[in-house]
Amino acid sequence: MIRHRPAGSGHPYSDDTEQRSPVHPVADAPLRLGVRTSADAESVEVELEIRDADGTRSERHRLSPVARSSRGQSVDGGHLASAQARQNRAAGGWELTLPTVPPGATLRYRFSALRPGGSAETTRWFDCRVATWRPGASDTVRVSGSPAVAARPSDIEVLDDGERILRVRFALPLTTDEHVTGLGERFDALDHRGERLDSVVFEQYKSQGAHRRTYLPMPFAHIVGGSGWGLHVRTSRRVWFDLGASDATRLVVEAETDAGADAEALDLALYSGTPTQVLDAFLDEVGRPTELPDWVFRLWASGNEWNTQAEVERQMALHREHDIPVGSVVIEAWSDESTFTVFRDAQYDVRSDGGPLRLADFSFPAEGAWADPKGMVDRLHAQDIRVHLWQIPLMKMRPHPQGQARADAAAAIREDVLIKEVAPDGSLRPYRNRGWWFPLGLMPDLTDERAARWWTEKRRYLVEEVGIDGFKTDGGEHAWGADLRYLDGSHGDESNNLFPVAYAAAYGRLLASAGKAPVTFSRAGFTGSQAHGAFWAGDENSTWEAFRWSMFAGLSAAASGILYWGWDIAGFSGDIPDPELYVRAMAASVFVPIMQYHSEFNHHRLPSRDRTPWNIAERTGDHTVIAEVRALVHLRERLVPYLAEQARESIRTSRPLMRPLYFDHPADARVWEHPLQWMLGDELLVAPVLEPGAAEWPVYLPPGDWVDVWTGASVPGGTVMTTRTPRDRIPVFCRASTWPTLESIFAV
């Protein structure tokens, strides 16, 4: 075997062994050519033809052996332990790096692997054009938006391969007092001035803040300070930002494009004004949040070990026993793990045409995992608990599907509802998931309304007959590679980022068509996600560092127009948090739009890693945790009317519900010294305690009159004050003018 895939797997942050890098060669820059072979290859050569204005010349080069890397696994591991193990399988990697390639040239090459005994295997020929950076015309970037913005693109350059403009690069001015923020959900900081970021949807399993990668990017930024302005690069393709890193006076944007040499290649919107005015103009373009019912502000509870009806009902009974009210339960491990439409252990006849099933098609054995799903949902509804089911936008193909899963896969191919990829011979075939989670799964094209309807109709009985209230629309990050083809003819570089937006929208339409609120709960998204449901910050460990990262994520998402946002309280992965971290995180989450806890599957090994208060208490021996969490959740229940009212106001005004302080005080330099404080609605200032062992915590109170909600003491603003912080309370202050109307919420 010898394999060369010019574009590799499409991993945005790592090159695969067998790819060309960069995929589009750039003049006067190095070019790496790589292959993967079976282990018996003794050597590999490349035959290279270079055609330019001086004619054609041929070269032969021998490749050097290298360690194998596939889908980035040697760099950042995989989502699952098995994915991490696969990187160690023996296989031959080979590469050659050409120091430079000439401008204006066309390259043609093929590889040969020599085996024992002198036999050889040769690949087909591959062709590519060498692109060159050159100055771009002033109309290469079309600028629209507010004429009041003084910044205009300068130093425009294009990467031109002689046929197409592949990238556009330009600069905008930055003044010394400007901060750069927004850019979707970001885990590492609030102000990104002096940094480099990009916008590509990516599943970074844990440590998002350290790797600076995100599930939910947007090429949209606030520039706060000075006169105040913002920008939106109107593209779904990848964009890179140099936010004063190379030159403190310049914000440099580089974006993928696909345009003719004389065409406008990129569209840039510029907005002027306060952060609220900038966000309002942005939301006018991309869509505003849809109001969700008040119950979404109550506690959400889940655990991956809750994978039977008996366990779900037991856990909900324990919440009642401990007087910890739950508003929503998310059941993740409910399905047969093959169709993601059928409850595990359900009995039914396979529908060979792949059409949707109805509740009457199923029988549920009394001894099965889910003996009476509808009865369970009805009973939970009677307890004022909503029920959400987990989803993944893939058709699992490993192990080889049987039964209904096999019929569904055949129907998906027959009905032409799948995303496709380019095969080695240039033809199109169904895309096989290149991510590390459910590898090789088929992927429905949920950006296509017909295909999305085909997919969601299979879930209609869950909503209309079982009574499900919403879906956890997990895993929207699995579309990798520019070679993907969507049903509308678009390529992956244009549509991959849009897939998670369409994913949540499709499930929202299903719910709305059944007369229910479009409550989806997603971790992935992009520009346009603002209008589609709720979001959480994704997978993370139970550490103080991850706690801080998650708070940055919530604030930057809010600044980008995401209204309904939460996180896995105190982290969901690995061993349980200690009591202090757990209670501090719960106390902070009372004042976050979506309050939810969750825990990772641990194969039912003991001791349990559930993040329930009673499990934390039992595991640590600290039983005060239960009483502390009870009081916090009851406080949250009292806050629900305020949160619902302020959410409606946020939709009306574009002021984020969970609002960084710079929104209200853009000219106040001190707010940047306390980035992890926020306004919750118009009246409450929140300052979470983010370090262990803190008996006191500094809080910056902007100008105005404030009241400490725990003591009722009046406090003047415009200063940093130190407040006492028992572990079940974080500093919260109310505007003095509205304290009389909110005081009862905080009464003990």
Side-chain angles (χ1 to χ4, degrees), residues 57-193:
R57 62 186 183 276
S58 297
E59 302 175 355
R60 281 187 176 272
H61 300 277
R62 178 162 289 193
L63 279 68
S64 301
V66 292
R68 176 190 170 195
S69 170
S70 179
R71 297 179 296 151
Q73 289 178 18
S74 70
V75 176
D76 61 9
H79 183 85
L80 305 174
S82 59
Q84 291 177 307
R86 280 196 297 273
Q87 70 174 318
N88 298 318
R89 291 180 179 171
W94 304 82
E95 72 173 27
L96 164 73
T97 299
L98 301 172
T100 62
V101 288
T106 298
L107 307 182
R108 191 167 189 255
Y109 60 91
R110 64 179 179 179
F111 302 92
S112 298
L114 184 67
R115 290 192 166 75
S119 65
E121 183 178 359
T122 302
T123 68
R124 66 176 177 88
W125 286 97
F126 299 90
D127 297 272
C128 59
R129 302 177 65 85
V130 177
T132 304
W133 283 103
R134 63 169 176 80
S138 60
D139 61 357
T140 301
V141 180
R142 183 166 71 91
V143 181
S144 59
S146 174
V149 178
R152 284 294 182 270
S154 64
D155 298 329
I156 298 172
E157 297 178 285
V158 298
L159 184 63
D160 185 350
D161 73 354
E163 293 182 349
R164 309 294 293 172
I165 294 177
L166 306 176
R167 294 193 187 185
V168 174
R169 185 164 60 204
F170 62 88
L172 295 163
L174 280 177
T175 62
T176 56
D177 57 350
E178 288 179 329
H179 306 264
V180 184
T181 185
L183 296 155
E185 183 183 55
R186 301 288 172 172
F187 293 78
D188 57 310
L190 195 65
D191 180 5
H192 297 289
R193 174 121 188 204

Side-chain angles (χ1 to χ4, degrees), residues 436-736:
W436 22 74
W437 200 16
F438 301 116
L440 301 182
L442 301 176
M443 195 164 180
D445 184 356
L446 300 181
T447 70
D448 179 84
E449 190 170 343
R450 177 185 64 87
R453 189 166 54 250
W454 181 91
W455 180 262
T456 57
E457 283 301 307
K458 294 176 174 296
R459 286 114 177 116
R460 182 170 293 278
Y461 86 94
L462 296 169
V463 181
E464 292 187 339
E465 299 184 87
V466 178
I468 296 306
D469 300 285
F471 290 97
K472 187 171 185 177
T473 38
D474 199 358
E477 317 88 358
H478 298 300
W480 284 20
D483 61 318
L484 270 57
R485 298 292 186 271
Y486 288 76
L487 292 173
D488 65 358
S490 62
H491 293 200
D493 57 344
E494 183 179 7
S495 292
N496 290 347
N497 277 341
L498 296 178
F499 180 88
V501 184
Y503 175 21
Y507 279 77
R509 288 195 300 271
L510 168 64
L511 289 158
S513 71
K516 297 208 171 190
V519 179
T520 55
F521 197 35
S522 310
R523 70 179 183 189
F526 192 71
T527 310
S529 286
Q530 292 88 344
H532 302 295
F535 296 83
W536 91 101
D539 299 340
E540 196 46 271
N541 286 319
S542 292
T543 66
W544 288 92
E545 185 176 43
F547 184 4
R548 291 187 289 273
W549 286 337
S550 297
M551 297 303 98
F552 278 129
L555 290 169
S556 58
S560 303
I562 298 296
L563 173 58
Y564 299 97
W565 179 92
W567 66 303
D568 294 334
I569 293 172
F572 99 123
S573 184
D575 203 4
I576 60 169
D578 63 60
E580 183 185 11
L581 172 57
Y582 183 75
V583 175
R584 286 291 194 203
M586 278 280 181
S589 296
V590 170
F591 302 97
V592 162
I594 299 293
M595 183 184 187
Q596 69 100 26
Y597 73 80
H598 180 48
S599 56
E600 193 173 34
F601 187 64
N602 192 38
H603 303 279
H604 297 289
R605 291 179 294 222
L606 295 176
S608 169
R609 289 182 173 178
D610 268 9
R611 267 56 174 177
T612 55
W614 39 92
N615 189 55
I616 302 295
E618 181 179 344
R619 287 281 312 275
T620 65
D622 186 343
H623 291 274
T624 60
V625 165
I626 297 175
E628 289 169 331
V629 171
R630 178 187 304 120
L632 290 168
V633 176
H634 277 277
L635 170 59
R636 175 66 173 211
E637 290 279 302
R638 297 192 297 274
L639 266 175
V640 167
Y642 171 79
L643 291 168
E645 174 195 5
Q646 292 296 312
R648 289 188 285 273
E649 189 68 5
S650 180
I651 293 170
R652 186 183 71 83
T653 64
S654 298
R655 290 195 304 272
L657 175 59
M658 182 183 179
R659 186 158 70 247
L661 294 187
Y662 66 77
F663 265 81
D664 295 308
H665 307 278
D668 188 342
R670 288 172 295 182
V671 301
W672 300 99
E673 299 169 7
H674 302 269
L676 291 177
Q677 296 183 187
W678 62 85
M679 293 298 298
L680 185 67
D682 291 336
E683 313 303 337
L684 298 177
L685 185 147
V686 181
V689 177
L690 299 166
E691 294 178 3
E696 297 180 329
W697 196 253
V699 182
Y700 174 61
L701 292 176
D705 296 320
W706 300 89
V707 173
D708 183 330
V709 302
W710 309 117
T711 66
S714 296
V715 184
T719 186
V720 176
M721 67 169 298
T722 300
T723 130
R724 287 188 62 254
T725 55
R727 78 177 188 183
D728 60 339
R729 287 184 179 179
I730 62 171
V732 179
F733 293 83
C734 180
R735 293 191 191 277

Side-chain angles (χ1 to χ4, degrees), residues 3-12 14-24 32 34-36 69-72 109 126 421-422 429 431-432 434 480-484:
R3 185 169 76 174
H4 173 66
R5 292 194 299 169
S9 65
H11 190 299
S14 176
D15 292 339
D16 295 333
T17 305
E18 63 266 34
Q19 80 170 81
R20 181 172 68 223
S21 178
V23 175
H24 300 291
R32 174 189 166 275
V35 297
R36 190 155 57 106
S69 170
S70 179
R71 297 179 296 151
Y109 60 91
F126 299 90
E421 64 184 358
V422 179
R429 64 187 182 190
Y431 169 63
R432 305 297 293 269
R434 298 170 189 170
W480 284 20
D483 61 318
L484 270 57

